[in-house]
């Protein structure tokens, strides 16, 4: 399996060795931080439920495109767009929580939704096992 593009993303994109910092830093974090300012403001004026549905669909399309297209430039573009759009998730989630939960239940809902981030991070670490079993694509 070593060297098989299906099982190793670094085999498909050898430039990852030199540009990983670009993908996780500049291509993701910068658009995330800038777009987050606008996303937080948009939760006041737009339909938050529709915005959340659009956000989830867009993020899924970005991930699907990254997995299907064999282009490093497309992967960088998808990381940029993913950072930009994913900045809307937290403002939308927490504002929707205030719409759907009574005030005396919001602290419990807040703790559950906040713990989801950490559970997601833990599960993402386990994807290494999944990649070894079925590949990254």
């Amino acid at each position: 399996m070593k060297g098989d593009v299906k099982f190793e993303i670094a085999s498909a994109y050898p430039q990852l060795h030199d540009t990983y910092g670009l993908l996780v830093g500049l291509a993701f974090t910068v658009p995330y931080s800038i777009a987050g300012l606008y996303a937080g403001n948009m939760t006041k004026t737009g339909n938050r439920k529709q915005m959340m549905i659009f956000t989830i669909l867009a993020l899924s399309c970005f991930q699907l495109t990254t997995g299907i297209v064999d282009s490093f430039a497309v992967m960088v573009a998808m990381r940029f767009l993913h950072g930009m759009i994913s900045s809307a998730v937290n403002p939308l989630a927490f504002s929707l929580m205030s719409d759907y939960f009574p005030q005396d239940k919001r602290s419990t809902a807040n703790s559950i939704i906040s713990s989801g981030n950490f559970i997601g991070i833990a599960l993402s670490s386990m994807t290494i096992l999944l990649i070894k079993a079925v590949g990254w694509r």
Side-chain angles (χ1 to χ4, degrees):
M1 276 193 244
K2 185 122 174 105
D4 185 351
V5 173
K6 178 182 174 200
F7 290 94
E8 294 182 17
I9 192 170
S11 296
Y13 301 111
Q15 52 280 65
L16 276 179
H17 184 270
D18 297 328
T19 58
Y20 184 75
L22 169 74
L23 286 175
V24 298
L26 188 62
F28 183 86
T29 307
V30 171
Y32 182 92
S33 60
I34 294 170
L37 299 172
Y38 295 102
N41 197 34
M42 285 174 50
T43 61
K44 298 176 192 173
T45 59
N47 181 328
R48 293 187 290 265
K49 192 174 179 181
Q50 287 180 351
M51 289 170 62
M52 183 63 100
I53 291 168
F54 168 78
T55 299
I56 292 168
L57 290 174
L59 293 174
S60 298
C61 289
F62 300 154
Q63 293 291 41
L64 181 64
T65 303
T66 300
I68 292 174
V69 177
D70 285 326
S71 167
F72 186 74
V74 170
M75 185 167 72
V76 172
M78 292 301 106
R79 287 295 296 169
F80 184 89
L81 292 171
H82 195 279
M84 202 168 82
I85 299 297
S86 67
S87 68
V89 172
N90 279 344
L92 288 170
F94 289 108
S95 63
L96 281 169
M97 194 170 33
S98 68
D99 291 346
Y100 287 100
F101 291 93
Q103 191 162 358
D104 63 324
K105 302 288 184 196
R106 284 187 199 150
S107 58
T108 302
N110 185 7
S111 63
I112 291 170
I113 201 167
S114 295
S115 65
N117 289 332
F118 300 105
I119 292 170
I121 291 167
L123 290 175
S124 72
S125 299
M126 296 169 58
T127 59
I128 294 169
L129 300 173
L130 185 62
I131 290 168
K132 284 182 179 181
V134 297
W136 75 275
R137 286 197 161 166

